[in-house]
Amino acid sequence: MIQHLVDGILVGSFLSLGAIGLTMVMHILRFANFSHAELLSIGAYCALVFDKLFESLSPFLAAKIGPLSMTAALALSILVSMALTGLSAVVIDRLVFRRVREKGGELSMVFASFGMSLVIRNVIGLIFGLSSELYSRDIAFAMVISRDPLLLVKPDQVFVLIAALLIMFALYLVLSRTRFGFALRAIAENPNLAQVHGVNLKRMIVAVWLIGGSLGAIAGVFYGLSYQITPVMGRDLVLPIFAATIVGGIGSVYGAVLGGFIVGVASNLALVILPSGYSPSVPFLMILLVLLIRPNGLFGEARA
Amino acid sequence: MKKLLTLAAFAAGMSGLSVSAHAQDCTTKVGAVLPTSVDWGRPIAEVAQFAVDQVNEAGGAAGCKIEMVLRDTQVDPKVGVDAAKALVDLEGVNVLLGAVSSGVSMPILTSVTAPGGVMQMSCCSSSTAFTKLSEEGKTNGLWFRTFATTAVQSAMGAKVASDKGYKSVAILYKNDDWGQDMARLIAADFAAAGIEVTGSVAINDAQPSYRAEVTEALGGSPDAIYLALYPNEGTSAVREWISLGGTQNMILANSLKSDEFRDNVGLQYLENALGTDTASPRVASADAFKAAYVEKFGSEPNGPGLANSFDAAMIALLAMEAAGANASGADIAAAVAKVTDPDGAPITADVAGVTAAKETLAGGGTVKYQGATGDVRFDANGDVSAPAVIWKFTDSGTDEVEYLSLGEVDAFIASLKK
């Protein structure tokens, strides 16, 4: 029971990171971006490439940091991958979403994002092959926190959780304490009014994609570090991330953080009552339940 | 009255006459519904015809030449059922060979052959749904197949566990038809072997994390873990399992016989992992079939189901011989036991063998058919078993640890059923 709870929190940490980017895009650009989870794949594969590159450049970088299976090379490649994934999000917006946004309706955007996710997934499959990849083939053993009740935690997971929380805190500071943060929130609130007040909408959209992409990249790498990297990881993650976003309330960054943890914990705890064959249904049940009680999500506000 | 007697005598005389006449120029039709329109299906049909040719060379079956009427199923249940219906209703066959896919064989069995009293012998359907149907008495004893079910694989899993002395085992299985089937079978086999199953957990593919499932399986602290998974989710689940301190005593289904799985989990963690698989028989009769096949078709019988298709046709025709002239489908099905009798006179699967079988059967004896898949023996549900191998991972692939002949596999399965 406690093990399931702890596992859920750990799973929730990268769902939250993914959901933050998604909720911002959904709120500001007003469309359900089904290709958002593919940014996690792009991030994970980017980091994989640079990880191998840095490791071959310097054996010093290939050494593991403490008990983690994380290396200095991987830490560096996360930074590179954040930048590249953010950029690819911007490029995808330029090439596809902006054009559709100018001509088509909300539904066209949703379909465009569906198409985009298939394209990204298959391009990754073409380049890297369909079999799964790992940052490190060694298996990091879990530490026994307590014997009774049995509680096991992997050092990597603790690291992922702490890093995720730190990143979220940093984002909170940016959104609540800086001019840029106010501008971003103003755009989300009312794009027209914000523009009247001198906020550059186009620049803000680029910023949203950069933030969403780089958070997605971190989530992707953390996911790869905890499990494995496959071309279809975006497909596997899109529903839990959407569930986290909807549960938290679209547009609410804090809601997305909480939503990620709720979905993670709920999926894990569900196994205590449900046979594991039904576990994929849990995120959907969460969405239904929250929408029945609070139609705009836990932190969402009604919007015309 | 006198007139009637004369008539009866006349009729008896005629029927006696007709028997001897049949041997010369009559033809009995058997049906075959096989996916000839797909590239791997045609050789299966050709090798069945090869068996028919050999029986004809030895004088046919039950006094008549055999003609195999072949229809295409296109691997489509609807097409298959139509084809089977046409063969049974229009051509009047009592024996139907096929189909290949379980999904095609099943509707043919339930809607054509079982209600129509026609014996059906499939070369290649492996689903245990047929076993269940037979246990429920719905096949009327008319169903046979020469392809081993997943039951062999699961029994071997139990054998590995008991040989290794594992007292308790947890099961992780893929949440699809095959995986559920395996999980059900292996749990029963473990129980029969006196091994405790501490938990049986379904693994859905395309899940972001298997941590919860693995934690669930870890709960019973088993001696070993049985994995009926595919490489992709298998890698994820097993890495999680090992990192959480789960035992490295693993038993693997043949689906994990993959380099991807070995590389991504790491050979150092798979030293105590043993896999199971079915194998082709290593007996003289199988080699003889191979040689005959190469001579006839100019290539090795490497496609799926070829040896099984040959044996299916051969056994069906031998059973027709054993059942005698004008036998119904049920009679022929009942006669299958006479030609696959383990205590019978051994015969080979060629012209000489068929000739020898005819003599033995005419004399009231039974024969033991030794064919392309070894000594075929059906259980009460028309299922066969197959030889098996136990394997482990090595640097370059997999190595065979143990080979179990058909007899050894059968003996072990029988010991589980006690």
Side-chain angles (χ1 to χ4, degrees), chain B residues 70-126:
Chain B
L70 177 64
R71 295 281 180 113
D72 186 12
T73 66
Q74 300 169 18
V75 210
D76 182 330
K78 202 176 150 293
V79 177
V81 168
D82 284 349
K85 262 206 154 58
L87 288 170
V88 170
D89 293 345
L90 302 179
E91 307 281 356
V93 301
N94 280 329
V95 169
L96 192 72
L97 301 174
V100 170
S101 316
S102 297
V104 181
S105 299
M106 182 55 92
I108 292 178
L109 176 64
T110 51
S111 68
V112 182
T113 51
V118 173
M119 179 178 96
Q120 184 180 354
M121 176 132 1
S122 165
C123 61
C124 315
S125 300
S126 71

Short mmCIF file of all heavy atoms in Angstrom, two decimals, chain B residues 70-126:
data_model
loop_
_atom_site.label_atom_id
_atom_site.label_comp_id
_atom_site.label_asym_id
_atom_site.label_seq_id
_atom_site.Cartn_x
_atom_site.Cartn_y
_atom_site.Cartn_z
N LEU B 70 -9.68 -29.38 -53.00
CA LEU B 70 -9.06 -28.29 -52.23
C LEU B 70 -9.81 -26.98 -52.45
O LEU B 70 -10.13 -26.61 -53.58
CB LEU B 70 -7.60 -28.14 -52.70
CG LEU B 70 -6.78 -27.02 -52.09
CD1 LEU B 70 -6.60 -27.22 -50.59
CD2 LEU B 70 -5.42 -26.94 -52.77
N ARG B 71 -10.13 -26.30 -51.36
CA ARG B 71 -10.75 -24.97 -51.45
C ARG B 71 -9.93 -23.97 -50.65
O ARG B 71 -9.36 -24.30 -49.62
CB ARG B 71 -12.18 -24.99 -50.87
CG ARG B 71 -13.15 -25.85 -51.63
CD ARG B 71 -13.64 -25.13 -52.88
NE ARG B 71 -14.59 -25.95 -53.61
CZ ARG B 71 -15.89 -25.63 -53.73
NH1 ARG B 71 -16.35 -24.54 -53.18
NH2 ARG B 71 -16.69 -26.41 -54.40
N ASP B 72 -9.92 -22.73 -51.13
CA ASP B 72 -9.17 -21.65 -50.49
C ASP B 72 -9.99 -21.02 -49.37
O ASP B 72 -11.20 -20.83 -49.50
CB ASP B 72 -8.85 -20.59 -51.56
CG ASP B 72 -7.95 -19.49 -51.02
OD1 ASP B 72 -7.39 -19.67 -49.92
OD2 ASP B 72 -7.80 -18.47 -51.71
N THR B 73 -9.34 -20.71 -48.25
CA THR B 73 -10.04 -20.00 -47.16
C THR B 73 -9.73 -18.52 -47.17
O THR B 73 -10.42 -17.74 -46.51
CB THR B 73 -9.61 -20.51 -45.77
OG1 THR B 73 -8.24 -20.18 -45.58
CG2 THR B 73 -9.82 -21.99 -45.63
N GLN B 74 -8.68 -18.11 -47.85
CA GLN B 74 -8.21 -16.71 -47.85
C GLN B 74 -7.98 -16.21 -46.42
O GLN B 74 -8.04 -15.02 -46.15
CB GLN B 74 -9.21 -15.79 -48.56
CG GLN B 74 -9.43 -16.17 -50.00
CD GLN B 74 -10.61 -15.44 -50.64
OE1 GLN B 74 -11.06 -14.42 -50.12
NE2 GLN B 74 -11.11 -15.97 -51.73
N VAL B 75 -7.72 -17.14 -45.49
CA VAL B 75 -7.56 -16.83 -44.06
C VAL B 75 -8.75 -16.02 -43.54
O VAL B 75 -8.62 -15.19 -42.65
CB VAL B 75 -6.24 -16.08 -43.74
CG1 VAL B 75 -5.76 -16.43 -42.33
CG2 VAL B 75 -5.14 -16.42 -44.72
N ASP B 76 -9.91 -16.28 -44.11
CA ASP B 76 -11.12 -15.53 -43.74
C ASP B 76 -12.14 -16.53 -43.23
O ASP B 76 -12.51 -17.48 -43.93
CB ASP B 76 -11.63 -14.79 -44.99
CG ASP B 76 -12.86 -13.95 -44.70
OD1 ASP B 76 -13.63 -14.32 -43.79
OD2 ASP B 76 -13.05 -12.94 -45.39
N PRO B 77 -12.63 -16.35 -41.99
CA PRO B 77 -13.56 -17.31 -41.43
C PRO B 77 -14.80 -17.53 -42.31
O PRO B 77 -15.26 -18.66 -42.49
CB PRO B 77 -13.97 -16.68 -40.10
CG PRO B 77 -12.89 -15.73 -39.75
CD PRO B 77 -12.29 -15.28 -41.05
N LYS B 78 -15.30 -16.43 -42.91
CA LYS B 78 -16.53 -16.53 -43.68
C LYS B 78 -16.29 -17.36 -44.94
O LYS B 78 -17.07 -18.26 -45.27
CB LYS B 78 -17.00 -15.12 -44.05
CG LYS B 78 -18.46 -15.05 -44.38
CD LYS B 78 -18.86 -13.61 -44.64
CE LYS B 78 -20.01 -13.58 -45.63
NZ LYS B 78 -19.63 -14.01 -46.98
N VAL B 79 -15.20 -17.04 -45.64
CA VAL B 79 -14.86 -17.78 -46.85
C VAL B 79 -14.62 -19.25 -46.50
O VAL B 79 -15.05 -20.16 -47.20
CB VAL B 79 -13.60 -17.18 -47.53
CG1 VAL B 79 -13.20 -17.98 -48.74
CG2 VAL B 79 -13.85 -15.73 -47.90
N GLY B 80 -13.93 -19.47 -45.38
CA GLY B 80 -13.61 -20.82 -44.95
C GLY B 80 -14.86 -21.64 -44.68
O GLY B 80 -14.98 -22.80 -45.10
N VAL B 81 -15.82 -21.03 -43.98
CA VAL B 81 -17.06 -21.74 -43.66
C VAL B 81 -17.82 -22.06 -44.94
O VAL B 81 -18.32 -23.18 -45.11
CB VAL B 81 -17.92 -20.91 -42.68
CG1 VAL B 81 -19.31 -21.48 -42.58
CG2 VAL B 81 -17.26 -20.87 -41.31
N ASP B 82 -17.90 -21.09 -45.87
CA ASP B 82 -18.58 -21.34 -47.14
C ASP B 82 -17.93 -22.50 -47.88
O ASP B 82 -18.62 -23.37 -48.42
CB ASP B 82 -18.54 -20.08 -48.03
CG ASP B 82 -19.53 -19.03 -47.55
OD1 ASP B 82 -20.37 -19.38 -46.70
OD2 ASP B 82 -19.46 -17.89 -48.03
N ALA B 83 -16.59 -22.49 -47.92
CA ALA B 83 -15.87 -23.54 -48.63
C ALA B 83 -16.14 -24.90 -47.99
O ALA B 83 -16.42 -25.89 -48.67
CB ALA B 83 -14.37 -23.24 -48.61
N ALA B 84 -16.11 -24.92 -46.65
CA ALA B 84 -16.33 -26.18 -45.94
C ALA B 84 -17.75 -26.69 -46.17
O ALA B 84 -17.99 -27.87 -46.40
CB ALA B 84 -16.07 -25.99 -44.45
N LYS B 85 -18.69 -25.76 -46.17
CA LYS B 85 -20.11 -26.11 -46.41
C LYS B 85 -20.28 -26.74 -47.79
O LYS B 85 -20.94 -27.76 -47.94
CB LYS B 85 -20.98 -24.85 -46.32
CG LYS B 85 -21.65 -24.66 -44.98
CD LYS B 85 -22.93 -23.81 -45.16
CE LYS B 85 -23.94 -24.09 -44.09
NZ LYS B 85 -23.45 -23.84 -42.74
N ALA B 86 -19.65 -26.11 -48.77
CA ALA B 86 -19.75 -26.62 -50.14
C ALA B 86 -19.16 -28.02 -50.23
O ALA B 86 -19.73 -28.91 -50.85
CB ALA B 86 -19.03 -25.67 -51.09
N LEU B 87 -18.02 -28.23 -49.57
CA LEU B 87 -17.37 -29.54 -49.63
C LEU B 87 -18.25 -30.60 -48.98
O LEU B 87 -18.37 -31.71 -49.49
CB LEU B 87 -16.00 -29.48 -48.94
CG LEU B 87 -14.92 -28.71 -49.70
CD1 LEU B 87 -13.69 -28.52 -48.83
CD2 LEU B 87 -14.55 -29.47 -50.98
N VAL B 88 -18.86 -30.25 -47.85
CA VAL B 88 -19.65 -31.23 -47.12
C VAL B 88 -20.98 -31.48 -47.82
O VAL B 88 -21.39 -32.62 -48.06
CB VAL B 88 -19.88 -30.76 -45.66
CG1 VAL B 88 -20.90 -31.64 -44.96
CG2 VAL B 88 -18.56 -30.76 -44.91
N ASP B 89 -21.68 -30.40 -48.23
CA ASP B 89 -23.02 -30.54 -48.80
C ASP B 89 -23.00 -30.97 -50.25
O ASP B 89 -23.80 -31.80 -50.67
CB ASP B 89 -23.78 -29.22 -48.67
CG ASP B 89 -24.06 -28.87 -47.22
OD1 ASP B 89 -23.92 -29.79 -46.38
OD2 ASP B 89 -24.39 -27.71 -46.92
N LEU B 90 -22.12 -30.40 -51.04
CA LEU B 90 -22.13 -30.68 -52.48
C LEU B 90 -21.23 -31.84 -52.85
O LEU B 90 -21.61 -32.70 -53.63
CB LEU B 90 -21.71 -29.43 -53.26
CG LEU B 90 -22.57 -28.18 -53.00
CD1 LEU B 90 -22.06 -26.99 -53.79
CD2 LEU B 90 -24.03 -28.47 -53.36
N GLU B 91 -20.01 -31.87 -52.28
CA GLU B 91 -19.08 -32.95 -52.63
C GLU B 91 -19.30 -34.17 -51.75
O GLU B 91 -18.79 -35.25 -52.03
CB GLU B 91 -17.63 -32.48 -52.50
CG GLU B 91 -17.29 -31.20 -53.25
CD GLU B 91 -17.07 -31.43 -54.76
OE1 GLU B 91 -17.11 -32.60 -55.17
OE2 GLU B 91 -16.90 -30.44 -55.48
N GLY B 92 -20.00 -34.01 -50.65
CA GLY B 92 -20.31 -35.13 -49.76
C GLY B 92 -19.11 -35.74 -49.06
O GLY B 92 -19.06 -36.95 -48.86
N VAL B 93 -18.15 -34.90 -48.68
CA VAL B 93 -16.97 -35.47 -48.03
C VAL B 93 -17.27 -35.83 -46.57
O VAL B 93 -18.12 -35.19 -45.92
CB VAL B 93 -15.77 -34.49 -48.07
CG1 VAL B 93 -15.41 -34.14 -49.49
CG2 VAL B 93 -16.05 -33.24 -47.25
N ASN B 94 -16.60 -36.83 -46.06
CA ASN B 94 -16.73 -37.23 -44.66
C ASN B 94 -15.53 -36.81 -43.84
O ASN B 94 -15.53 -36.92 -42.63
CB ASN B 94 -16.87 -38.75 -44.55
CG ASN B 94 -18.28 -39.19 -44.84
OD1 ASN B 94 -19.22 -38.44 -44.56
ND2 ASN B 94 -18.43 -40.36 -45.42
N VAL B 95 -14.48 -36.38 -44.57
CA VAL B 95 -13.24 -35.98 -43.91
C VAL B 95 -12.84 -34.61 -44.45
O VAL B 95 -12.85 -34.40 -45.65
CB VAL B 95 -12.11 -36.99 -44.20
CG1 VAL B 95 -10.77 -36.44 -43.74
CG2 VAL B 95 -12.41 -38.33 -43.55
N LEU B 96 -12.54 -33.70 -43.52
CA LEU B 96 -12.14 -32.37 -43.93
C LEU B 96 -10.78 -32.05 -43.31
O LEU B 96 -10.61 -32.15 -42.10
CB LEU B 96 -13.19 -31.35 -43.46
CG LEU B 96 -13.07 -29.96 -44.05
CD1 LEU B 96 -13.51 -29.97 -45.51
CD2 LEU B 96 -13.95 -28.98 -43.27
N LEU B 97 -9.83 -31.68 -44.18
CA LEU B 97 -8.52 -31.28 -43.68
C LEU B 97 -8.48 -29.76 -43.56
O LEU B 97 -8.88 -29.05 -44.49
CB LEU B 97 -7.42 -31.74 -44.64
CG LEU B 97 -7.34 -33.24 -44.90
CD1 LEU B 97 -6.31 -33.53 -45.99
CD2 LEU B 97 -7.00 -34.00 -43.64
N GLY B 98 -8.02 -29.23 -42.44
CA GLY B 98 -7.91 -27.77 -42.30
C GLY B 98 -8.73 -27.27 -41.13
O GLY B 98 -9.27 -28.06 -40.38
N ALA B 99 -8.79 -25.98 -40.90
CA ALA B 99 -8.04 -24.98 -41.66
C ALA B 99 -6.72 -24.71 -40.93
O ALA B 99 -6.36 -25.46 -40.02
CB ALA B 99 -8.86 -23.71 -41.75
N VAL B 100 -6.04 -23.64 -41.34
CA VAL B 100 -4.78 -23.31 -40.71
C VAL B 100 -4.99 -22.47 -39.45
O VAL B 100 -4.65 -22.88 -38.34
CB VAL B 100 -3.83 -22.59 -41.69
CG1 VAL B 100 -2.62 -22.05 -40.98
CG2 VAL B 100 -3.41 -23.56 -42.79
N SER B 101 -5.61 -21.30 -39.61
CA SER B 101 -5.78 -20.40 -38.45
C SER B 101 -6.86 -20.92 -37.53
O SER B 101 -7.90 -21.41 -37.99
CB SER B 101 -6.19 -19.01 -38.92
OG SER B 101 -5.41 -18.64 -40.02
N SER B 102 -6.63 -20.77 -36.23
CA SER B 102 -7.64 -21.18 -35.26
C SER B 102 -8.95 -20.45 -35.51
O SER B 102 -10.02 -21.02 -35.36
CB SER B 102 -7.15 -20.88 -33.84
OG SER B 102 -6.00 -21.63 -33.56
N GLY B 103 -8.84 -19.17 -35.90
CA GLY B 103 -10.02 -18.35 -36.10
C GLY B 103 -10.88 -18.83 -37.27
O GLY B 103 -12.05 -18.50 -37.36
N VAL B 104 -10.27 -19.58 -38.20
CA VAL B 104 -11.03 -20.13 -39.32
C VAL B 104 -11.52 -21.54 -38.98
O VAL B 104 -12.66 -21.90 -39.26
CB VAL B 104 -10.17 -20.15 -40.61
CG1 VAL B 104 -10.97 -20.69 -41.78
CG2 VAL B 104 -9.64 -18.76 -40.93
N SER B 105 -10.65 -22.30 -38.34
CA SER B 105 -11.01 -23.69 -38.01
C SER B 105 -12.20 -23.74 -37.07
O SER B 105 -13.05 -24.62 -37.17
CB SER B 105 -9.82 -24.38 -37.33
OG SER B 105 -8.72 -24.42 -38.18
N MET B 106 -12.23 -22.75 -36.14
CA MET B 106 -13.26 -22.79 -35.10
C MET B 106 -14.68 -22.68 -35.66
O MET B 106 -15.52 -23.53 -35.39
CB MET B 106 -12.96 -21.69 -34.06
CG MET B 106 -13.92 -21.66 -32.90
SD MET B 106 -14.03 -23.23 -32.04
CE MET B 106 -12.79 -23.05 -30.77
N PRO B 107 -14.99 -21.66 -36.50
CA PRO B 107 -16.36 -21.60 -37.03
C PRO B 107 -16.68 -22.78 -37.94
O PRO B 107 -17.84 -23.20 -38.01
CB PRO B 107 -16.40 -20.27 -37.79
CG PRO B 107 -15.00 -19.85 -37.97
CD PRO B 107 -14.22 -20.47 -36.86
N ILE B 108 -15.68 -23.31 -38.64
CA ILE B 108 -15.94 -24.48 -39.48
C ILE B 108 -16.35 -25.66 -38.59
O ILE B 108 -17.31 -26.36 -38.85
CB ILE B 108 -14.69 -24.85 -40.32
CG1 ILE B 108 -14.42 -23.76 -41.35
CG2 ILE B 108 -14.86 -26.20 -40.99
CD1 ILE B 108 -13.19 -23.99 -42.20
N LEU B 109 -15.61 -25.80 -37.49
CA LEU B 109 -15.90 -26.91 -36.58
C LEU B 109 -17.30 -26.77 -35.97
O LEU B 109 -18.08 -27.72 -35.95
CB LEU B 109 -14.84 -26.95 -35.48
CG LEU B 109 -15.05 -27.99 -34.38
CD1 LEU B 109 -14.98 -29.39 -34.95
CD2 LEU B 109 -13.99 -27.83 -33.28
N THR B 110 -17.62 -25.56 -35.50
CA THR B 110 -18.87 -25.42 -34.78
C THR B 110 -20.08 -25.35 -35.70
O THR B 110 -21.17 -25.74 -35.30
CB THR B 110 -18.85 -24.14 -33.89
OG1 THR B 110 -18.47 -23.04 -34.70
CG2 THR B 110 -17.89 -24.29 -32.74
N SER B 111 -19.89 -24.86 -36.95
CA SER B 111 -21.09 -24.70 -37.77
C SER B 111 -21.16 -25.68 -38.94
O SER B 111 -22.21 -25.81 -39.55
CB SER B 111 -21.19 -23.26 -38.30
OG SER B 111 -20.16 -23.01 -39.21
N VAL B 112 -20.07 -26.36 -39.27
CA VAL B 112 -20.14 -27.28 -40.41
C VAL B 112 -19.83 -28.72 -40.00
O VAL B 112 -20.69 -29.59 -40.10
CB VAL B 112 -19.17 -26.85 -41.54
CG1 VAL B 112 -19.29 -27.79 -42.73
CG2 VAL B 112 -19.45 -25.41 -41.97
N THR B 113 -18.62 -28.96 -39.53
CA THR B 113 -18.21 -30.36 -39.36
C THR B 113 -18.86 -31.03 -38.16
O THR B 113 -19.35 -32.16 -38.27
CB THR B 113 -16.68 -30.47 -39.27
OG1 THR B 113 -16.21 -29.56 -38.28
CG2 THR B 113 -16.03 -30.14 -40.60
N ALA B 114 -18.87 -30.35 -37.00
CA ALA B 114 -19.45 -30.99 -35.82
C ALA B 114 -20.94 -31.29 -36.01
O ALA B 114 -21.38 -32.41 -35.79
CB ALA B 114 -19.19 -30.15 -34.57
N PRO B 115 -21.74 -30.30 -36.47
CA PRO B 115 -23.15 -30.63 -36.70
C PRO B 115 -23.35 -31.61 -37.85
O PRO B 115 -24.31 -32.39 -37.84
CB PRO B 115 -23.80 -29.28 -37.02
CG PRO B 115 -22.74 -28.27 -37.07
CD PRO B 115 -21.46 -28.87 -36.66
N GLY B 116 -22.46 -31.59 -38.86
CA GLY B 116 -22.64 -32.44 -40.03
C GLY B 116 -22.04 -33.83 -39.88
O GLY B 116 -22.10 -34.63 -40.81
N GLY B 117 -21.43 -34.13 -38.74
CA GLY B 117 -20.84 -35.44 -38.52
C GLY B 117 -19.65 -35.72 -39.42
O GLY B 117 -19.42 -36.85 -39.85
N VAL B 118 -18.88 -34.68 -39.72
CA VAL B 118 -17.70 -34.84 -40.58
C VAL B 118 -16.45 -34.74 -39.72
O VAL B 118 -16.36 -33.87 -38.85
CB VAL B 118 -17.69 -33.74 -41.67
CG1 VAL B 118 -16.40 -33.78 -42.47
CG2 VAL B 118 -18.89 -33.89 -42.58
N MET B 119 -15.48 -35.63 -39.95
CA MET B 119 -14.25 -35.54 -39.18
C MET B 119 -13.41 -34.38 -39.71
O MET B 119 -13.22 -34.22 -40.90
CB MET B 119 -13.44 -36.82 -39.29
CG MET B 119 -12.13 -36.72 -38.51
SD MET B 119 -11.16 -38.22 -38.55
CE MET B 119 -10.05 -37.86 -39.89
N GLN B 120 -12.90 -33.54 -38.78
CA GLN B 120 -12.05 -32.42 -39.19
C GLN B 120 -10.67 -32.60 -38.57
O GLN B 120 -10.52 -32.82 -37.38
CB GLN B 120 -12.67 -31.09 -38.73
CG GLN B 120 -11.88 -29.88 -39.22
CD GLN B 120 -12.51 -28.56 -38.77
OE1 GLN B 120 -13.60 -28.54 -38.20
NE2 GLN B 120 -11.82 -27.47 -39.01
N MET B 121 -9.66 -32.51 -39.42
CA MET B 121 -8.29 -32.65 -38.92
C MET B 121 -7.48 -31.45 -39.38
O MET B 121 -7.27 -31.25 -40.57
CB MET B 121 -7.68 -33.97 -39.43
CG MET B 121 -6.26 -34.11 -39.04
SD MET B 121 -5.62 -35.62 -38.32
CE MET B 121 -6.76 -36.85 -38.17
N SER B 122 -7.05 -30.63 -38.42
CA SER B 122 -6.31 -29.41 -38.77
C SER B 122 -4.82 -29.64 -38.60
O SER B 122 -4.38 -30.35 -37.70
CB SER B 122 -6.75 -28.25 -37.89
OG SER B 122 -5.82 -27.20 -37.99
N CYS B 123 -4.06 -29.01 -39.48
CA CYS B 123 -2.61 -29.14 -39.39
C CYS B 123 -2.02 -28.14 -38.43
O CYS B 123 -0.95 -28.32 -37.90
CB CYS B 123 -1.98 -28.92 -40.75
SG CYS B 123 -2.31 -27.28 -41.40
N CYS B 124 -2.75 -27.00 -38.20
CA CYS B 124 -1.98 -25.86 -37.70
C CYS B 124 -2.66 -24.99 -36.66
O CYS B 124 -2.11 -23.97 -36.27
CB CYS B 124 -1.56 -24.98 -38.87
SG CYS B 124 -0.91 -25.91 -40.26
N SER B 125 -3.85 -25.35 -36.24
CA SER B 125 -4.54 -24.48 -35.28
C SER B 125 -4.07 -24.80 -33.87
O SER B 125 -4.11 -25.95 -33.45
CB SER B 125 -6.04 -24.68 -35.37
OG SER B 125 -6.48 -24.37 -36.66
N SER B 126 -3.62 -23.77 -33.14
CA SER B 126 -2.99 -24.06 -31.84
C SER B 126 -3.80 -23.60 -30.64
O SER B 126 -3.44 -23.88 -29.51
CB SER B 126 -1.61 -23.40 -31.77
OG SER B 126 -1.76 -22.01 -31.68
#
